[in-house]
PDB file of all heavy atoms in Angstrom:
ATOM      1  N   ILE B1248      15.693  33.500  31.992  1.00  0.00           N
ATOM      2  CA  ILE B1248      16.988  34.045  32.438  1.00  0.00           C
ATOM      3  C   ILE B1248      17.873  34.331  31.224  1.00  0.00           C
ATOM      4  O   ILE B1248      18.536  35.370  31.131  1.00  0.00           O
ATOM      5  CB  ILE B1248      17.716  33.066  33.405  1.00  0.00           C
ATOM      6  CG1 ILE B1248      16.779  32.695  34.560  1.00  0.00           C
ATOM      7  CG2 ILE B1248      19.041  33.672  33.899  1.00  0.00           C
ATOM      8  CD1 ILE B1248      16.552  33.756  35.577  1.00  0.00           C
ATOM      9  N   GLY B1249      17.872  33.373  30.272  1.00  0.00           N
ATOM     10  CA  GLY B1249      18.675  33.551  29.056  1.00  0.00           C
ATOM     11  C   GLY B1249      18.288  34.818  28.316  1.00  0.00           C
ATOM     12  O   GLY B1249      19.147  35.582  27.864  1.00  0.00           O
ATOM     13  N   GLY B1250      16.977  35.053  28.217  1.00  0.00           N
ATOM     14  CA  GLY B1250      16.495  36.256  27.530  1.00  0.00           C
ATOM     15  C   GLY B1250      17.004  37.522  28.202  1.00  0.00           C
ATOM     16  O   GLY B1250      17.464  38.460  27.544  1.00  0.00           O
ATOM     17  N   LEU B1251      16.958  37.502  29.537  1.00  0.00           N
ATOM     18  CA  LEU B1251      17.402  38.701  30.265  1.00  0.00           C
ATOM     19  C   LEU B1251      18.900  38.928  30.088  1.00  0.00           C
ATOM     20  O   LEU B1251      19.337  40.067  29.886  1.00  0.00           O
ATOM     21  CB  LEU B1251      17.053  38.559  31.759  1.00  0.00           C
ATOM     22  CG  LEU B1251      15.548  38.473  32.082  1.00  0.00           C
ATOM     23  CD1 LEU B1251      15.321  38.341  33.584  1.00  0.00           C
ATOM     24  CD2 LEU B1251      14.796  39.694  31.554  1.00  0.00           C
ATOM     25  N   ILE B1252      19.674  37.817  30.148  1.00  0.00           N
ATOM     26  CA  ILE B1252      21.122  37.982  30.002  1.00  0.00           C
ATOM     27  C   ILE B1252      21.455  38.508  28.601  1.00  0.00           C
ATOM     28  O   ILE B1252      22.260  39.430  28.444  1.00  0.00           O
ATOM     29  CB  ILE B1252      21.855  36.631  30.245  1.00  0.00           C
ATOM     30  CG1 ILE B1252      21.676  36.188  31.705  1.00  0.00           C
ATOM     31  CG2 ILE B1252      23.335  36.728  29.897  1.00  0.00           C
ATOM     32  CD1 ILE B1252      22.278  34.839  32.039  1.00  0.00           C
ATOM     33  N   ILE B1253      20.813  37.919  27.596  1.00  0.00           N
ATOM     34  CA  ILE B1253      21.091  38.370  26.229  1.00  0.00           C
ATOM     35  C   ILE B1253      20.650  39.838  26.044  1.00  0.00           C
ATOM     36  O   ILE B1253      21.393  40.644  25.474  1.00  0.00           O
ATOM     37  CB  ILE B1253      20.369  37.465  25.189  1.00  0.00           C
ATOM     38  CG1 ILE B1253      20.948  36.053  25.184  1.00  0.00           C
ATOM     39  CG2 ILE B1253      20.380  38.068  23.786  1.00  0.00           C
ATOM     40  CD1 ILE B1253      22.307  35.912  24.586  1.00  0.00           C
ATOM     41  N   GLY B1254      19.463  40.141  26.522  1.00  0.00           N
ATOM     42  CA  GLY B1254      18.952  41.513  26.374  1.00  0.00           C
ATOM     43  C   GLY B1254      19.884  42.530  26.988  1.00  0.00           C
ATOM     44  O   GLY B1254      20.296  43.503  26.358  1.00  0.00           O
ATOM     45  N   VAL B1255      20.263  42.281  28.261  1.00  0.00           N
ATOM     46  CA  VAL B1255      21.150  43.224  28.958  1.00  0.00           C
ATOM     47  C   VAL B1255      22.530  43.231  28.303  1.00  0.00           C
ATOM     48  O   VAL B1255      23.122  44.300  28.041  1.00  0.00           O
ATOM     49  CB  VAL B1255      21.264  42.856  30.457  1.00  0.00           C
ATOM     50  CG1 VAL B1255      22.340  43.684  31.134  1.00  0.00           C
ATOM     51  CG2 VAL B1255      19.922  43.078  31.149  1.00  0.00           C
ATOM     52  N   GLY B1256      23.041  42.022  28.020  1.00  0.00           N
ATOM     53  CA  GLY B1256      24.398  41.900  27.449  1.00  0.00           C
ATOM     54  C   GLY B1256      24.543  42.670  26.152  1.00  0.00           C
ATOM     55  O   GLY B1256      25.477  43.451  25.973  1.00  0.00           O
ATOM     56  N   GLU B1257      23.581  42.504  25.246  1.00  0.00           N
ATOM     57  CA  GLU B1257      23.751  43.161  23.936  1.00  0.00           C
ATOM     58  C   GLU B1257      23.610  44.660  24.008  1.00  0.00           C
ATOM     59  O   GLU B1257      24.319  45.394  23.341  1.00  0.00           O
ATOM     60  CB  GLU B1257      22.803  42.556  22.892  1.00  0.00           C
ATOM     61  CG  GLU B1257      21.352  42.740  23.204  1.00  0.00           C
ATOM     62  CD  GLU B1257      20.437  42.300  22.085  1.00  0.00           C
ATOM     63  OE1 GLU B1257      20.859  41.458  21.296  1.00  0.00           O
ATOM     64  OE2 GLU B1257      19.292  42.789  22.035  1.00  0.00           O
ATOM     65  N   LYS B1258      22.682  45.121  24.837  1.00  0.00           N
ATOM     66  CA  LYS B1258      22.504  46.587  24.947  1.00  0.00           C
ATOM     67  C   LYS B1258      23.741  47.227  25.595  1.00  0.00           C
ATOM     68  O   LYS B1258      24.199  48.284  25.180  1.00  0.00           O
ATOM     69  CB  LYS B1258      21.259  46.953  25.751  1.00  0.00           C
ATOM     70  CG  LYS B1258      19.969  46.388  25.201  1.00  0.00           C
ATOM     71  CD  LYS B1258      19.579  46.959  23.865  1.00  0.00           C
ATOM     72  CE  LYS B1258      18.325  46.343  23.330  1.00  0.00           C
ATOM     73  NZ  LYS B1258      18.470  45.507  22.161  1.00  0.00           N
ATOM     74  N   MET B1259      24.236  46.577  26.662  1.00  0.00           N
ATOM     75  CA  MET B1259      25.413  47.112  27.329  1.00  0.00           C
ATOM     76  C   MET B1259      26.605  47.125  26.356  1.00  0.00           C
ATOM     77  O   MET B1259      27.374  48.086  26.314  1.00  0.00           O
ATOM     78  CB  MET B1259      25.767  46.215  28.538  1.00  0.00           C
ATOM     79  CG  MET B1259      24.817  46.382  29.682  1.00  0.00           C
ATOM     80  SD  MET B1259      25.248  47.900  30.565  1.00  0.00           S
ATOM     81  CE  MET B1259      23.960  47.968  31.787  1.00  0.00           C
ATOM     82  N   ALA B1260      26.750  46.028  25.586  1.00  0.00           N
ATOM     83  CA  ALA B1260      27.872  45.938  24.663  1.00  0.00           C
ATOM     84  C   ALA B1260      27.790  47.033  23.616  1.00  0.00           C
ATOM     85  O   ALA B1260      28.783  47.694  23.302  1.00  0.00           O
ATOM     86  CB  ALA B1260      27.887  44.562  24.006  1.00  0.00           C
ATOM     87  N   GLU B1261      26.588  47.219  23.079  1.00  0.00           N
ATOM     88  CA  GLU B1261      26.428  48.212  21.988  1.00  0.00           C
ATOM     89  C   GLU B1261      26.735  49.629  22.509  1.00  0.00           C
ATOM     90  O   GLU B1261      27.411  50.395  21.835  1.00  0.00           O
ATOM     91  CB  GLU B1261      24.984  48.160  21.466  1.00  0.00           C
ATOM     92  CG  GLU B1261      24.661  49.148  20.379  1.00  0.00           C
ATOM     93  CD  GLU B1261      25.282  48.812  19.015  1.00  0.00           C
ATOM     94  OE1 GLU B1261      25.445  47.624  18.743  1.00  0.00           O
ATOM     95  OE2 GLU B1261      25.601  49.741  18.268  1.00  0.00           O
TER      96      GLU B1261
END
Side-chain angles (χ1 to χ4, degrees):
Chain B
I1248 306 287
L1251 297 180
I1252 294 176
I1253 292 288
V1255 170
E1257 63 173 23
K1258 302 294 178 249
M1259 287 281 176
E1261 179 73 30

